[in-house]
Amino acid sequence: MNLKPGLRLLAETPGTGRCIGPGDRVTIRLQGRLNRGEPIQTNYVTTVVVGRRTLIPGIEYSLVGMRVGGSRRVQISPHLAYGEVGIPGRIPPRAALRYDIEVLAAQPEIPESEA
């Protein structure tokens, strides 16, 4: 599996079905931590369209190639997360993050006319 520079795969459990790609609507569960271990997001469930940039780039890039029921633990470099600024009071500047990503459901690419 090829991940973008700035992403490191720490663990993976394969799922079933077709691989997720750009344009697919996915429901995921996220658990996020600072690299030092402090939680920043716990048991967060959301539905997104991959490639619409509604999540940090590191999570979106990590979703590509996953399958329903699968999970990945990834380390995300700052340039694919919150960068030089962070989120004041929550995520420090230049913070590397670790995310557990679980795919709960996926629908194939949404046609442009429905997007």
Side-chain angles (χ1 to χ4, degrees):
M1 130 171 207
N2 287 330
L3 288 175
K4 287 231 181 237
L7 287 176
R8 191 168 124 213
L9 182 64
L10 303 175
E12 181 171 34
T13 302
T16 59
R18 60 182 280 288
C19 289
I20 292 169
D24 290 347
R25 182 182 308 274
V26 296
T27 301
I28 57 175
R29 176 179 292 123
L30 299 172
Q31 308 267 359
R33 291 182 166 64
L34 295 175
N35 203 36
R36 324 185 277 248
E38 299 96 297
I40 56 172
Q41 207 168 37
T42 56
N43 207 27
Y44 177 68
V45 176
T46 187
T47 299
V48 298
V49 176
V50 177
R52 292 257 178 97
R53 298 182 181 195
T54 54
L55 301 170
I56 61 172
I59 293 173
E60 291 225 12
Y61 294 142
S62 296
L63 286 169
V64 175
M66 291 185 74
R67 301 169 191 264
V68 174
S71 64
R72 286 183 179 165
R73 175 172 287 166
V74 294
Q75 182 171 326
I76 302 172
S77 294
H79 75 280
L80 295 177
Y82 297 98
E84 297 292 316
V85 178
I87 298 176
R90 188 155 171 226
I91 298 174
R94 297 175 295 286
L97 307 176
R98 280 184 292 154
Y99 266 91
D100 291 320
I101 305 166
E102 180 184 0
V103 179
L104 305 175
Q107 295 176 337
E109 184 174 353
I110 302 168
E112 284 293 318
S113 60
E114 296 177 33

